[in-house]
Amino acid sequence: MRSVVYTKPGDSSVLTLEERPVPTPGPGEVRVRVVVSGVNPTDWKARQGGTYGDDLPFPEITPNQDGAGVVDAVGDGVDGLSVGDHVWLYMAAASRPTGTAQEYTVVPAARAVRLPEGTGFDIGASLGVPAMTAHRALTTHEHGPDRLAPGALNGKTVLVAGGAGAVGHAAIQLARWAGATVVTTISSDAKAALATAAGAHHTVNYRDEDASAQIRAIAPDGVDIVVEVSIPQNAALVAEVLANHGLVSIYANNGGDEATLPIRPNMSINARYQFLLLYTIGDEALTAAAEDVTAALRDGVLPVGEAAGLPLVRFSLEDTAAAHDAVEQDTVGKVLIDVSAE
Ligand SMILES: NC(=O)c1ccc[n+]([C@@H]2O[C@H](COP(=O)([O-])OP(=O)(O)OC[C@H]3O[C@@H](n4cnc5c(N)ncnc54)[C@H](OP(=O)(O)O)[C@@H]3O)[C@@H](O)[C@H]2O)c1
């Protein structure tokens, strides 16, 4: 089979396309013929040494955590998945040497989730990192739900920082599905149009000097949950717009690795700052997210593509390096790799 690999950390030139044997699933695992591989910032950051440093944990690594495809072999002891099932994958390469930038990949059965009838592989390959992260960000409010479903966020206002980003897009869709009023920040009219297409009720340009006043005008009592991509840049704004007992879910270090928070305003409103990393949130949170995301898929509320606010940018498996570069260079939308025919 064709497999993209790297054996040392570095820029995208370390990626090469090789022939490798088709892997065999062990007990509790399934083998999936990958149709579409999804690329996220985590994939180029890991390849560049951001996760493992210079000492790769495996002699050879195939990148990409996300993907979608067809189950084509099932290991002993796997219940609930059969050959021929269409699945979406999450954390395919977490603590494992091989991800989805290859024609066949083996994953623990829990990381292959059946796609509802009629849900395509492009959507499936866009879910793992973005939607699972968004789910966690929306489910740790002190007085909020720990699961998402229609009505779960009724009466709550959610502020999604960067609504034209991949995680931001999923956060808008899930929050809207769950009944929240969704406000999002963006940096241009074009990104406002994408966030609106995703389902945001309101958009505010975070570069406007009066951005917090605009958000307060939309949400006079403040916002209940902030899905935050850049707390170093947004800490002051967040403290100005957060409601009493508000939650700030910090899932990224865009804009720097250290932030300064105004203590007194946050204290006065009993603010909670909740950090999260998908790889370490634990199986319970991952399973809850996978189930709720699949329920949202059944309701048809996680579309991708320009009309849904997330333009698709496609590459071939041979061009995996260019796909990684596109994500690293902040391409707007979702970067996908076509791996094999449907
Ligand atoms: N903790 C986790 O488990 C986890 C999971 C997923 C992703 N991440 C991390 O999250 C980050 C985003 O991932 P992604 O796939 O969503 O990337 P993406 O598609 O490139 O989106 C990033 C978005 O952030 C926006 N942004 C940047 N600075 C902003 C600011 N100060 N205020 C508001 N918006 C701002 C950008 O818009 P503008 O350029 O217009 O500002 C862009 O739309 C990456 O660093 C990734 O590694 C972490």
Side-chain angles (χ1 to χ4, degrees), residues 40-42 45 129 133 161-168 185-187 191 206-207 228-230 233-234 251-254 276-279 330-331 333:
N40 293 281
T42 187
K45 289 177 183 177
V129 169
T133 301
V167 177
T185 55
I186 36 69
S187 63
K191 288 186 174 178
Y206 67 82
R207 293 189 176 136
E228 185 52 67
V229 68
S230 177
Q233 291 173 346
N234 295 334
Y251 69 89
N253 58 355
N254 290 36
L276 75 108
L277 183 67
L278 202 56
Y279 300 117
D330 296 332
T331 292

Side-chain angles (χ1 to χ4, degrees), residues 271-296:
R272 275 193 179 189
Y273 286 77
Q274 170 73 54
F275 293 80
L276 75 108
L277 183 67
L278 202 56
Y279 300 117
T280 51
I281 59 173
D283 286 343
E284 197 180 334
L286 290 172
T287 303
E291 288 176 2
D292 294 351
V293 166
T294 299

Side-chain angles (χ1 to χ4, degrees), residues 250-275:
I250 298 171
Y251 69 89
N253 58 355
N254 290 36
D257 217 20
E258 293 189 1
T260 302
L261 305 181
I263 292 176
R264 178 73 214 192
N266 278 300
M267 218 163 73
S268 304
I269 55 168
N270 302 281
R272 275 193 179 189
Y273 286 77
Q274 170 73 54
F275 293 80

